[in-house]
Amino acid sequence: MFYFTLFVIAAIYLVRKTFIIVPQNYSFLVERLGVFRGALPAGLHFLIPLIDQVRYRQNQKEIAMEIPPQTCITKDNVSILVDGILYLRVVDPYKASYEIENFRSATVQLAQTTLRSEIGKLVLDHTFSERDDINSHVVRSLDEATDPWGIKVTRYEIKNISPPKEILHEMEEQVKAERVKRAEITISEGEKIARINRSMGERQEAINLSEGEKTRKVNEAEGKAKEIELIATAKAKGIQMISDAAGQKGGEEAIHLQITEDYLAGLGEVFEKSKTTVLPLEVAGITGFFEGISKVTNQLPKTGSTKG
């Protein structure tokens, strides 16, 4: 019974060592008597027991590895705590197995040193605003360094950047100051625009008023010119009518009467408007005035007598 049990155990062991099933996206590296024989892809494979053995099992899926927090010093000598996550994939199982002892640990160490180097090139403020640039530089450097190991680094992401508490407080104060500054600039810009708009409105108003005043004066001048023209025309017609009437019967008496009425009306206006009136005229003077008018009228052409 003991030998039978021993035989069954040996048979099971031989079967397990003979028939190998490789899962999808895995690669098994087989050695024959300690020498690399080949990499087995996904599927069922047969091995020679006690001669062939699977030495390495490599996962060819994309792997996410945590990068532990580490202290980095920025260009302006500020110590910050940075951690991240690294994504990679095994593209050459042979190199990942035989060219490096432990590619996971080596990649993590390389990622930490590369990150410290990149952080040291930047001041503290830029480490927050240039995360994408830092990530791309780390990926490029790691991809070049791990190429001999058969590793493809696909992505690196910084998870947290933790400055000291006093630096955080200073940054918060700086952010508040920037907000106040932007608010003051916005208010001043608004006041500037408002003043410009008011001045432009006042300027346009002044232009409109001056244009209106100009138009009013032009209209008044045109009206006065028209009035003067009409008055001159009327006077010319009146003088012509007086000239025609002087030669007719009773014309001279009518002219004397009209002139006397105008003279007396003028004196009346002088008496009304003046507080003190000096009247040096005597009756003889008035008579002389009328005689002068008679001489003027006698010199007018007498159309009626010419016709007779």
Side-chain angles (χ1 to χ4, degrees):
M1 185 65 181
F2 173 76
Y3 293 104
F4 178 74
T5 302
L6 186 61
F7 175 77
V8 171
I9 292 175
I12 293 174
Y13 174 79
L14 292 175
V15 169
R16 291 188 60 184
K17 292 296 182 180
T18 302
F19 300 98
I20 300 296
I21 297 177
V22 180
Q24 185 67 35
N25 287 331
Y26 277 82
S27 180
F28 288 3
L29 277 71
V30 177
E31 292 181 354
R32 175 167 294 175
L33 300 176
V35 179
F36 175 72
R37 186 179 73 87
L40 303 180
L44 178 63
H45 301 276
F46 299 93
L47 300 179
I48 300 175
L50 303 178
I51 296 178
D52 296 336
Q53 71 174 45
V54 177
R55 184 65 175 174
Y56 297 101
R57 290 175 170 84
Q58 297 294 354
N59 182 4
Q60 293 187 285
K61 300 176 184 178
E62 189 170 13
I63 304 170
M65 296 192 303
E66 294 280 346
I67 306 300
Q70 61 174 332
T71 301
C72 301
I73 300 177
T74 62
K75 188 176 182 180
D76 50 352
N77 295 324
V78 178
S79 297
I80 57 177
L81 201 63
V82 185
D83 61 352
I85 185 168
L86 180 67
Y87 297 86
L88 55 82
R89 184 167 56 87
V90 176
V91 295
D92 191 333
Y94 176 83
K95 291 182 178 180
S97 302
Y98 292 100
E99 298 296 334
I100 185 72
E101 179 65 25
N102 187 338
F103 72 86
R104 292 173 182 265
S105 177
T107 305
V108 170
Q109 296 296 325
L110 187 59
Q112 289 182 318
T113 56
T114 304
L115 180 61
R116 284 197 298 267
S117 176
E118 293 296 330
I119 293 294
K121 299 176 183 178
L122 304 172
V123 297
L124 179 61
D125 292 342
H126 292 175
T127 58
F128 295 96
S129 60
E130 298 184 9
R131 282 195 177 193
D132 292 339
D133 292 338
I134 296 173
N135 294 335
S136 62
H137 291 162
V138 171
V139 170
R140 185 165 55 250
S141 299
L142 289 178
D143 194 42
E144 293 176 359
T146 58
D147 185 66
W149 306 341
I151 305 300
K152 176 66 177 177
V153 177
T154 58
R155 189 164 65 253
Y156 178 82
E157 295 291 339
I158 295 176
K159 293 175 63 177
N160 299 301
I161 298 178
S162 303
K165 292 182 179 180
E166 58 272 14
I167 299 297
L168 285 175
H169 179 70
E170 293 178 1
M171 293 175 64
E172 290 175 358
E173 293 297 327
Q174 183 179 1
V175 170
K176 291 180 182 178
E178 287 293 332
R179 289 176 180 172
V180 172
K181 177 182 176 182
R182 288 196 297 268
E184 292 178 351
I185 291 175
T186 302
I187 293 173
S188 64
E189 288 292 335
E191 292 177 352
K192 175 183 176 183
I193 294 173
R195 287 196 298 268
I196 292 174
N197 291 337
R198 284 196 296 269
S199 64
M200 292 180 65
E202 292 173 355
R203 176 175 176 271
Q204 188 63 42
E205 181 182 4
I207 292 174
N208 293 338
L209 291 176
S210 65
E211 290 290 338
E213 184 67 17
K214 175 183 176 182
T215 303
R216 184 183 67 80
K217 290 182 178 180
V218 170
N219 292 337
E220 289 180 355
E222 291 179 351
K224 288 181 180 179
K226 189 67 175 177
E227 180 183 0
I228 292 171
E229 181 181 357
L230 293 176
I231 291 173
T233 303
K235 285 184 177 180
K237 290 182 178 180
I239 292 171
Q240 182 65 39
M241 293 175 66
I242 291 171
S243 177
D244 294 340
Q248 297 179 4
K249 184 179 181 179
E252 293 183 4
E253 292 78 3
I255 292 173
H256 292 166
L257 179 61
Q258 182 63 43
I259 293 173
T260 302
E261 290 179 355
D262 293 341
Y263 178 76
L264 294 176
L267 287 177
E269 291 180 359
V270 172
F271 294 154
E272 290 179 359
K273 296 181 179 179
S274 301
K275 294 182 179 180
T276 303
T277 304
V278 178
L279 186 62
L281 298 177
E282 298 176 353
V283 177
I286 297 175
T287 305
F289 171 75
F290 290 148
E291 290 177 355
I293 293 174
S294 298
K295 292 179 181 180
V296 173
T297 55
N298 289 330
Q299 294 176 0
L300 294 175
K302 298 180 180 179
T303 56
S305 60
T306 303
K307 291 178 182 181

